[in-house]
């Protein structure tokens, strides 16, 4: 599942990354190429909820911190609500996938 990420969110990701990691280091931590990571930060390409969650984990912050508008605008609140809905839909799938992975061990 992908979510619509605003330019503000992309800038926030970039700003939080700077001072901690290079784009190459972030890419390695997220198991992707540097080029793919650069696209996440700099393009209008959708970011999957898993990617957003992984970025938040690496940057040691919440998804809400990355997606919320600083002024708590209607757009920012709606964006957060949309992402929360996506997470709620994804959790059962993640739990099912986790159970399947554990069954193979």
């Amino acid at each position: 599942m992908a979510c619509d990420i605003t330019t503000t969110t992309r800038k926030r990701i970039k700003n939080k990354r700077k001072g901690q990691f290079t784009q190459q280091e972030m890419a390695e931590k997220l198991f992707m190429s540097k080029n793919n990571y650069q696209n996440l930060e700099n393009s209008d390409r959708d970011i999957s909820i898993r990617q957003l969650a992984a970025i938040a984990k690496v940057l040691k912050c919440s998804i809400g911190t990355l997606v919320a508008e600083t002024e708590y605008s209607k757009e920012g609140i709606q964006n957060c609500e949309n992402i929360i809905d996506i997470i709620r839909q994804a959790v059962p799938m993640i739990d099912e996938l986790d159970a399947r992975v554990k069954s193979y061990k």
Side-chain angles (χ1 to χ4, degrees), residues 50 92-105:
R50 282 180 199 250
M93 291 184 287
I94 293 168
D95 291 343
E96 182 182 334
L97 181 60
D98 186 47
R100 287 183 186 180
V101 169
K102 286 179 181 175
S103 72
Y104 291 117
K105 290 182 180 179

Side-chain angles (χ1 to χ4, degrees), residues 42-61:
N42 300 315
S43 76
D44 290 331
R45 193 182 91 167
D46 287 341
I47 298 176
S48 75
I49 194 65
R50 282 180 199 250
Q51 289 170 324
L52 192 59
I55 290 167
K57 185 174 181 178
V58 170
L59 296 176
K60 294 182 172 50
C61 66

Side-chain angles (χ1 to χ4, degrees), residues 55-94:
I55 290 167
K57 185 174 181 178
V58 170
L59 296 176
K60 294 182 172 50
C61 66
S62 70
I63 293 172
T65 298
L66 297 176
V67 300
E69 300 293 323
T70 54
E71 303 85 24
Y72 299 100
S73 67
K74 286 183 182 180
E75 178 190 34
I77 292 168
Q78 184 62 51
N79 199 16
C80 289
E81 289 172 348
N82 291 343
I83 289 172
I84 290 168
D85 287 341
I86 291 168
I87 292 169
R88 284 188 182 126
Q89 293 170 15
V91 167
M93 291 184 287
I94 293 168

Side-chain angles (χ1 to χ4, degrees), residues 4-22:
D4 182 31
I5 300 299
T6 65
T7 302
T8 303
T9 298
R10 292 177 193 283
K11 286 179 183 174
R12 194 171 288 126
I13 290 169
K14 189 174 194 174
N15 289 337
K16 287 197 160 292
R17 174 193 55 79
K18 286 184 173 182
Q20 294 185 63
F21 307 107
T22 64

